Amino acid sequence: MKSTDLSGKVCILLTRHKMPDEWRDNGAEPLRAVFEDAGYTAELELCDDPGAINAYIETACVPGDVVAIGGGDGTINAVIDTVIKAGVIMIPLPLGTANDFARSLYIPDDILMAARAAINGQIAMLDIGRVNGQSFVNAASIGVPADARKRIDPDLKRWTGAISYAVANWQSWHEMKPLDLTVTCGNASPQDLKLRQLTVTNGQYFGGGLRPRENKRLDDGKLHMFAIQADVDTLSGMDIAAELLFGSVDDSRYAISRECDRIQVDGAEGEPILADGEIIGELPACFELEAKVLPVFAPKAFQNETDKTGLFDGHQIVNDITLDAVGLSFRLYAVYPMASDSQLKSICHDAANHLRDINRRLELALRPYGLPTSSLDPDLQSLEQLRDRAMSWMLSDADQRLARGLLTQSGQIAAALENCPMDKIPDDISQPLSDMQALIADMEKRLETIET
């Protein structure tokens, strides 16, 4: 799909009960203005549920319309088939609890910032996953996550957001019996496995900010599977949770990891399948990928090949470094209150403040090139702090584990900085990058003393 296919109309479809209170009296005028300032005619419709959103798209939209859909991952998952069939282009406006789909597209959590970032971006064609014919955009799971979905307290979810997922998963981890499953990935031989959990992901994030691998994208043409074996105890499970936070589960000693475009799971018939926060079926399951079928407006930060007019050599790697640096500063702020070691607290405090200042300088320098950075997610910060607190309660070496995770994340940025063509980058961008390189080198040296 190309930009020339657009009709010039944006249909703003907001879930009624999730609409911000301050917009109820003005018809979401601030949101309308974002699209109208970009040259579109904006129409607003308040919908009671995803079914009403689907009905509106089917009856009131024509191919080439843009549909800005306000809701969470469950809402997005429920409308993607209608979006594809109608030939409209979607913009996800993050109004849910986890918003993993929007996060995978580098869409900020602030709804106005999200609209601006997306409408000033480019059309991207995304993959979707299917399990037994039912679609999903982020992830589908069997075992603990599916069992946990049935345990989530709606009142707790309303008040604590993503933390409610952690509470329910903790309960399921301790109470659910492992599943005997036969798993076949692509053309490989079937494997008989006893598992606590099997998750198949399409996007980069799932489950309130977890990620199976750092480089997983919504348009890479692959499904990624990871499975947690039955003999993994609670302490090892905490290790896996930390690895999922940093996108390094492929290196885990406790998880099985595979990548292909078709996965068959047999056994434990009748066990529920969770997809993007909702139960959509039961075992046995066939997971398949449909590549590049979902059209969305995605920020320039997401694009593999941004329009290079007026940009500098190495703009993409600089953009990626900037996004990762925001994530690292976020992580440093999350670890600081949980660390018991005074040196680790000092490292987190100093590095977070200095990195924040560097990130601000980079953001200002990159703004003329249309390379936005992502925003911090308060829900994800609360969830990370809850996991860190549980780790500090249960593990005598929690500080060492937290330091190891920070080293993993900072090491990825250090490697990218090493490959960055500094001599081809404008001075107002290369200088903060050089400062970041020195900061990370110093931080890693200090973290290594905690590791030992």
Side-chain angles (χ1 to χ4, degrees):
M1 180 171 290
K2 301 177 181 178
S3 296
T4 53
D5 296 328
L6 299 175
S7 68
K9 183 176 75 172
V10 174
C11 302
I12 307 171
L13 308 177
L14 300 181
T15 308
R16 190 185 303 274
H17 68 278
K18 293 186 177 181
M19 182 178 180
D21 291 336
E22 62 269 24
W23 288 357
R24 295 187 184 277
D25 296 330
N26 63 19
E29 184 57 36
L31 185 58
R32 288 174 179 264
V34 171
F35 297 112
E36 290 171 352
D37 289 348
Y40 291 84
T41 300
E43 299 178 359
L44 173 68
E45 182 75 11
L46 299 183
C47 303
D48 291 326
D49 52 40
I53 294 176
N54 283 329
Y56 185 92
I57 293 173
E58 290 170 346
T59 58
C61 294
V62 300
D65 283 352
V66 178
V67 290
I69 298 175
D73 293 325
T75 299
I76 298 299
N77 189 61
V79 304
I80 55 175
D81 286 335
T82 300
V83 167
I84 293 170
K85 183 177 180 181
V88 296
I89 300 92
M90 181 171 66
I91 292 176
L93 300 177
L95 289 176
T97 303
N99 301 314
D100 285 315
F101 179 69
R103 186 181 291 115
S104 290
L105 289 170
Y106 300 125
I107 290 177
D109 288 308
D110 178 87
I111 192 168
L112 294 181
M113 290 177 63
R116 291 191 191 100
I119 202 67
N120 291 310
Q122 297 174 328
I123 296 174
M125 299 300 292
L126 307 183
D127 307 334
I128 62 170
R130 297 196 189 277
V131 52
N132 295 349
Q134 297 290 312
S135 303
F136 65 93
V137 289
N138 293 321
S141 295
I142 300 159
V144 167
D147 181 77
R149 179 62 181 86
K150 298 182 293 184
R151 299 173 185 259
I152 291 177
D153 184 328
D155 293 329
L156 182 64
K157 179 180 178 182
R158 189 176 303 113
W159 289 106
T160 66
I163 291 177
S164 62
Y165 292 97
V167 173
N169 273 276
W170 183 265
Q171 293 172 333
S172 292
W173 179 272
H174 288 282
E175 298 174 14
M176 184 183 176
K177 293 182 179 180
L179 304 177
D180 291 305
L181 302 173
T182 300
V183 180
T184 307
C185 291
N187 296 322
S189 300
Q191 286 185 285
D192 293 326
L193 302 170
K194 196 176 189 70
L195 303 175
R196 286 180 177 267
Q197 172 181 342
L198 183 146
T199 296
V200 176
T201 64
N202 174 52
Q204 186 175 13
Y205 292 98
F206 73 100
L210 300 176
R211 48 186 175 175
R213 56 167 45 192
E214 181 64 32
N215 60 349
K216 182 65 182 165
R217 288 175 55 94
L218 284 159
D219 59 354
D220 65 2
K222 299 176 184 177
L223 292 174
H224 179 85
M225 183 204 86
F226 75 91
I228 301 175
Q229 301 182 72
D231 58 358
V232 173
D233 58 21
T234 300
L235 298 185
S236 301
M238 295 295 293
D239 267 341
I240 295 174
E243 287 157 349
L244 285 171
L245 281 172
F246 295 113
S248 57
V249 75
D250 281 350
D251 300 323
S252 173
R253 294 172 292 168
Y254 309 108
I256 299 169
S257 181
R258 299 285 187 274
E259 200 171 61
C260 58
D261 59 3
R262 187 180 187 278
I263 301 166
Q264 178 70 36
V265 181
D266 297 299
E269 292 190 7
E271 284 292 326
I273 301 169
L274 179 76
D276 296 335
E278 303 296 332
I279 301 296
I280 65 168
E282 60 184 35
L283 289 176
C286 178
F287 298 88
E288 297 178 293
L289 184 85
E290 193 167 351
K292 300 188 183 304
V293 293
L294 177 63
V296 301
F297 255 124
K300 292 180 180 178
F302 173 79
Q303 307 297 330
N304 272 329
E305 290 297 329
T306 310
D307 180 3
K308 291 181 172 56
T309 303
L311 291 177
F312 52 89
D313 289 344
H315 69 276
Q316 188 63 51
I317 190 170
V318 171
N319 183 74
D320 293 344
I321 289 170
T322 308
L323 291 170
D324 289 342
V326 170
L328 177 59
S329 64
F330 178 14
R331 183 65 186 146
L332 288 164
Y333 280 118
V335 170
Y336 172 75
M338 299 300 110
S340 59
D341 183 275
S342 59
Q343 184 179 357
L344 181 57
K345 291 182 78 73
S346 175
I347 294 170
C348 290
H349 176 272
D350 296 345
N353 288 334
H354 291 155
L355 191 56
R356 177 196 60 195
D357 294 339
I358 292 172
N359 286 338
R360 286 175 176 170
R361 289 161 56 199
L362 264 179
E363 182 181 0
L364 288 173
L366 289 172
R367 188 172 295 171
Y369 300 97
L371 298 174
T373 59
S374 59
S375 63
L376 301 185
D377 179 354
D379 256 357
L380 181 55
Q381 185 170 7
S382 297
L383 184 59
E384 288 196 356
Q385 287 185 353
L386 178 67
R387 292 179 181 129
D388 293 343
R389 187 180 297 277
M391 184 183 293
S392 66
W393 286 340
M394 299 180 61
L395 303 176
S396 60
D397 63 343
D399 287 321
Q400 287 77 16
R401 292 170 185 253
L402 293 170
R404 189 182 311 136
L406 289 171
L407 278 169
T408 298
Q409 197 165 3
S410 62
Q412 293 167 347
I413 300 174
L417 284 165
E418 188 68 29
N419 293 323
C420 190
M422 297 289 191
D423 57 331
K424 299 180 180 179
I425 293 173
D427 290 343
D428 59 342
I429 297 172
S430 62
Q431 186 56 57
L433 288 175
S434 296
D435 293 344
M436 184 189 298
Q437 196 166 26
L439 171 66
I440 288 178
D442 178 70
M443 184 184 75
E444 289 183 325
K445 187 180 298 183
R446 296 173 67 187
L447 285 170
E448 286 168 358
T449 64
I450 297 175
E451 268 282 273
T452 57

